[in-house]
Amino acid sequence: MFSFVKSLVRDQSGATAIEYGLIAALIAVAAIGGMSSLGTQLASIFNRVATTLQNAGT
């Protein structure tokens, strides 16, 4: 029984999986933040183009 507990303490595979999960979560948060900012800027550009086209047609 003691050797089983000792082997569980030395097992590093779970820690590695958690580290990879944290890295993936950090990348996802950064991507969402960047895409959100880019989306806001694109919406502003498209609205400006639409307004210009509407004013040119009148």
Side-chain angles (χ1 to χ4, degrees), residues 3-57:
S3 63
F4 175 71
V5 172
K6 198 156 85 170
S7 69
L8 284 178
V9 170
R10 291 184 183 176
D11 187 14
Q12 295 288 323
S13 62
T16 303
I18 290 172
E19 290 169 357
Y20 284 135
L22 290 172
I23 291 169
L26 180 63
I27 291 171
V29 167
I32 290 170
M35 289 178 200
S36 174
S37 174
L38 180 64
T40 303
Q41 291 174 357
L42 280 175
S44 174
I45 290 170
F46 284 131
N47 286 333
R48 191 171 54 223
V49 169
T51 302
T52 303
L53 289 174
Q54 285 176 351
N55 291 339

